[in-house]
């Protein structure tokens, strides 16, 4: 993509992108907090190798309380994590200090894409959360329910 066009698209996407990341985390995310799109692209290519391995399991359905338990069992306290959501290839991924920075009670209406991936900086473990208000799970009176896939080496 032409650099001028890329900057224009990034500028249009950025306000909502930052709102989505702030919704998924306990952080007021700013553009300066993001990894560059080129670094994010390199991470995504390496992450693809983890996703093609056969070592994964799916947990369904999962609510916000169960998601917190899963994050605690997959990631270590104090372990830097990276978050991917739609448009990370244009806007950049977000690094967070550890799983405690994740807002497991996020509002699913903020991001209509419905997919959030969290992985360790070494790209050896990933938790993908897939939620949608349009399916049989979606929104409940207590919050949301999602499909979760955990990948590991």
């Amino acid at each position: 993509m032409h650099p001028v066009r890329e900057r224009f698209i990034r500028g249009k996407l950025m306000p909502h992108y930052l709102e989505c990341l702030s919704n998924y985390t306990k952080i007021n995310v700013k553009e300066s907090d993001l990894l560059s799109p080129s670094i994010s692209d390199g991470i995504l290519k390496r992450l693809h190798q983890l996703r093609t391995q056969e070592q994964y399991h799916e947990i369904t359905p999962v609510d916000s309380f169960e998601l917190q338990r899963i994050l605690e069992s997959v990631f270590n306290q104090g372990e830097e994590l990276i978050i991917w959501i739609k448009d990370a290839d244009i806007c950049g991924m977000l690094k967070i200090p550890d799983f405690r920075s994740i807002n497991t009670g996020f509002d699913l209406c903020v991001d209509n894409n419905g997919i959030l991936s969290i992985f360790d900086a070494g790209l050896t473990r990933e938790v993908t959360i897939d939620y949608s208000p349009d399916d049989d799970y979606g929104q409940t009176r207590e919050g949301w329910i999602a499909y979760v896939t955990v990948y590991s080496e």
Side-chain angles (χ1 to χ4, degrees):
M1 183 181 310
H2 191 275
V4 173
R5 180 168 169 70
E6 186 173 333
R7 278 194 306 274
F8 175 77
I9 292 171
R10 184 177 180 171
K12 288 287 196 186
L13 294 173
M14 193 58 71
H16 182 67
Y17 188 78
L18 295 174
E19 178 186 11
C20 291
L21 286 172
S22 294
N23 178 48
Y24 289 131
T25 65
K26 297 174 184 173
I27 301 167
N28 182 18
V29 181
K30 298 177 287 311
E31 188 172 351
S32 60
D33 297 329
L34 303 177
L35 298 173
S36 73
S38 61
I39 290 173
S40 297
D41 187 51
I43 291 170
L44 198 55
K45 287 176 182 171
R46 290 189 355 241
L47 187 61
H48 179 70
Q49 295 171 350
L50 178 63
R51 291 178 178 164
T52 57
Q53 293 182 10
E54 302 264 337
Q55 297 181 4
Y56 70 92
H57 63 279
E58 294 180 351
I59 306 163
T60 305
V62 173
D63 62 16
S64 61
F65 302 108
E66 181 68 7
L67 176 59
Q68 182 66 37
R69 191 194 64 71
I70 291 168
L71 293 173
E72 290 171 1
S73 70
V74 173
F75 302 115
N76 300 314
Q77 191 170 337
E79 177 180 31
E80 189 174 64
L81 302 175
I82 301 171
I83 295 179
W84 173 94
I85 62 173
K86 181 179 180 278
D87 296 325
D89 58 328
I90 297 169
C91 297
M93 294 180 185
L94 175 67
K95 276 191 177 182
I96 59 171
D98 69 10
F99 67 84
R100 294 173 299 176
S101 298
I102 300 292
N103 172 20
T104 57
F106 61 83
D107 179 353
L108 75 112
C109 296
V110 172
D111 181 7
N112 62 7
N113 181 51
I115 297 179
L116 163 69
S117 289
I118 306 161
F119 43 92
D120 68 310
L123 306 180
T124 60
R125 287 160 286 134
E126 176 185 8
V127 174
T128 298
I129 303 138
D130 182 355
Y131 65 89
S132 172
D134 299 330
D135 62 20
D136 292 338
Y137 295 108
Q139 191 104 24
T140 68
R141 195 172 344 152
E142 294 78 31
W144 50 261
I145 297 177
Y147 303 93
V148 173
T149 305
V150 178
Y151 300 89
S152 62
E153 281 190 334

